[in-house]
Amino acid sequence: MTHTHDLSVMRMAAAVRSGELSPVELTDHYLDRIERLDARVGAFATVTADLARAQARRAEKAVADAPDRAALPPLHGVPVPVKDLNMVAGVRAAFGSAAFADLTGFADDHVVTLLRRAGSVLLGKTATPEFGLPCYTEGDVSPPARTPWDLTRSAGGSSGGAAAAVAAGLAPAAQGSDGGGSIRIPASVCGLFGIKPTRGRISQGPLKADLFGLATNGPIARTVRDAALLLDVMAGPVPGDLYTAPPVEGTFLSHADRPPGRLRVARSRTPAVPGVEVHPDCVAAYEEASALLEELGHEVVELPPVLGADVVPHFELLWGVMATMTPVPPEREHLLQPLTRWLRERGRATTATQVLQAHAALQAALRTAFPVMDGFDAILHPTLALPPVPIGHFHDQEPEENFRRQTQFTPFAAAYNISGQPAVNVPLHQNADGLPIGVMLAGRLGGEGTLISLSAQLEQARPWIGRKPPIWHD
């Protein structure tokens, strides 16, 4: 039996345009699932039921009144939640922090404006850890976000709520963001396809500074084509952005329907973070993906050393400085999580000279690395060094140990935030316990189209859409 939430975003949008599916019924279906199931998953920090129903009614009327339904926007009537790190006017914006638990959004982020223009319906704000700093989603604002594949385990972070919502069938797709792996990490542990685009592809404005260029918005979805469509909707520079991505030929969605041709793919499972042992399940996923790429006709070679352990302290220094960028009133500092306070103390102890030196060191490393990496169409890594971890694995530790465990869990992802290159999680593998284990593909700057074409080919060869966690059927 096919349920409404079995439909892809592409199929859903087509059904709305044809009149086969009512935006009101579609929205009610997801709101009902959220009401019944989200207490088990922890996907949403805020549910905007009244707003969603009002938007759905307007979308339904627009379908009825449209002289040409084909001209309706691409996500017309399709529910897409927004991460609680992003501002939505008139909607609670806690940023995962008790210090902002009573803040109401006073503007739309540019990415939210674009999702509105595309016709999407806002189900609510998905859960995120405080200021998006950790790679897991636990805190004081909402219950822990759990992977629907095993509700004792974390959904990852910092887009953990977004991934949990999509994987549990509480939303057809979601907007996320990624400053050190925050789309790819939860996509891996929740069995989804997620895209971290090229630096500058999606605006961080109007409120967020993009000084360091580490973070970007991006899509999380069940299929490559759905994610490509969302990327088309969200992409585009805005005056004032410090970074602009190279142009792409055609739409991102069109690349999902193009054969990639024979590609030269480098691979590495040697992380830059020292002392990391990659779990056998993650190695198995990586080796299976390598074999599949060769089976599909691609050349797979070992990646020469590029970014090494010397870049890690520079990234960690910038991460501490980023933790200070959210202004917290002094009288509310005590409401912050211990990890956040620890990171902010490190950031405040950093001098301007140290920040500039860290940037300069990373730039020097990239000037050496890019000539090597640009010799390949794509680069394959394990997405994570461990399978999904239990709730509390990080959060129950003292800050220093918490941070150490995070770096051991996700030692591959941040390199592509440093470089600005696009990277995706591809959910090809499950371990013996039925837990999703993703692999990561990174591309050249501006190379999202190639990654989408290659990922669509992998998806066709080893479809994952039929794999659904038990809660999906509830």
Side-chain angles (χ1 to χ4, degrees):
M1 178 179 178
T2 299
H3 299 284
T4 299
H5 55 281
D6 288 324
L7 300 176
S8 69
V9 170
M10 297 286 296
R11 177 71 183 87
M12 209 172 275
V16 166
R17 282 193 294 274
S18 71
E20 176 188 349
L21 188 58
S22 154
V24 171
E25 291 174 359
L26 180 57
T27 299
D28 283 341
H29 175 82
Y30 280 107
L31 289 173
D32 173 68
R33 286 186 62 80
I34 293 167
E35 184 177 0
R36 289 189 295 107
L37 303 174
D38 190 45
R40 292 157 58 186
V41 178
F44 282 85
T46 301
V47 179
T48 53
D50 291 342
L51 174 61
R53 289 191 171 104
Q55 291 177 339
R57 287 193 295 271
R58 288 196 294 272
E60 189 157 294
K61 185 175 187 304
V63 172
D65 295 345
D68 178 10
R69 291 179 179 177
L72 290 168
L75 296 177
H76 189 81
V78 176
V80 179
V82 168
K83 185 176 175 179
D84 199 30
L85 286 187
N86 292 83
M87 191 81 81
V88 178
V91 176
R92 181 184 182 226
F95 312 124
S97 177
F100 293 94
D102 55 359
L103 177 67
T104 298
F106 49 84
D108 280 348
D109 279 358
H110 288 319
V111 70
V112 173
T113 299
L114 293 173
L115 286 167
R116 285 187 193 272
R117 287 179 186 167
S120 69
V121 170
L122 180 70
L123 292 172
K125 304 290 287 298
T126 54
T128 186
E130 195 160 63
F131 307 155
L133 295 170
C135 69
Y136 63 92
T137 305
E138 300 171 47
D140 295 329
V141 172
S142 55
R146 303 168 185 269
T147 176
W149 294 92
D150 179 346
L151 295 173
T152 70
R153 297 176 186 261
S154 170
S158 63
S159 305
V166 177
L170 308 186
Q175 171 268 342
S177 56
D178 190 317
S182 290
I183 285 172
R184 292 158 288 158
I185 296 162
S188 179
V189 300
C190 292
L192 302 169
F193 185 74
I195 304 175
K196 183 204 86 69
T198 296
R199 175 179 293 149
R201 181 70 68 203
I202 299 175
S203 176
Q204 290 285 91
L207 301 175
K208 289 184 183 177
D210 52 2
L211 302 175
F212 298 154
L214 297 176
T216 180
N217 294 280
I220 297 176
R222 292 168 58 222
T223 73
V224 174
R225 297 182 85 238
D226 284 355
L229 173 61
L230 260 71
L231 184 55
D232 278 322
V233 164
M234 293 191 281
V238 173
D241 292 349
L242 291 183
Y243 303 98
T244 302
V248 173
E249 179 188 348
T251 65
F252 293 112
L253 181 57
S254 71
H255 283 270
D257 297 320
R258 296 184 194 180
R262 187 172 191 265
L263 302 181
R264 191 161 189 254
V265 180
R267 70 172 203 154
S268 174
R269 61 179 179 93
T270 303
V273 177
V276 173
E277 296 226 2
V278 182
H279 191 279
D281 290 346
C282 301
V283 173
Y286 166 82
E287 294 293 353
E288 286 182 14
S290 299
L292 178 56
L293 287 165
E294 289 186 325
E295 180 184 320
L296 292 170
H298 303 294
E299 179 188 6
V300 179
V301 299
E302 297 299 322
L303 178 69
V306 278
L307 296 177
D310 54 322
V311 306
V312 176
H314 303 304
F315 175 81
E316 291 181 353
L317 182 145
L318 294 181
W319 201 252
V321 173
M322 284 175 66
T324 70
M325 294 291 288
T326 303
V328 179
E331 68 274 12
R332 299 184 76 84
E333 287 267 357
H334 71 283
L335 296 172
L336 298 178
Q337 293 282 310
L339 175 69
T340 306
R341 292 200 300 271
W342 181 76
L343 286 168
R344 285 165 73 90
E345 287 166 7
R346 291 179 61 169
R348 286 170 178 152
T350 304
T351 67
T353 299
Q354 289 172 317
V355 172
L356 293 175
Q357 287 173 337
H359 267 299
L362 292 175
Q363 185 179 21
L366 290 171
R367 282 175 168 159
T368 302
F370 270 126
V372 177
M373 294 191 292
D374 284 347
F376 306 101
D377 299 295
I379 302 173
L380 173 72
H381 304 278
T383 301
L384 297 169
L386 294 170
V389 297
I391 295 291
H393 175 79
F394 309 107
H395 196 61
D396 293 348
Q397 309 303 313
E398 292 299 314
E400 192 165 356
E401 174 62 13
N402 178 331
F403 194 73
R404 187 194 72 81
R405 290 189 179 197
Q406 291 188 62
T407 61
Q408 298 285 305
F409 181 55
T410 175
F412 298 99
Y416 297 106
N417 298 90
I418 293 170
S419 71
Q421 293 165 262
V424 302
N425 176 74
V426 189
L428 288 173
H429 185 74
Q430 284 186 314
N431 69 7
D433 296 323
L435 296 173
I437 308 287
V439 293
M440 180 169 64
L441 288 167
R444 298 186 183 101
L445 288 170
E448 293 98 320
T450 298
L451 293 182
I452 288 168
S453 295
L454 179 57
S455 298
Q457 184 186 51
L458 293 169
E459 181 182 28
Q460 184 176 20
R462 298 285 189 277
W464 56 75
I465 191 68
R467 297 201 300 251
K468 295 164 186 172
I471 198 172
W472 187 271
H473 306 286
D474 290 351

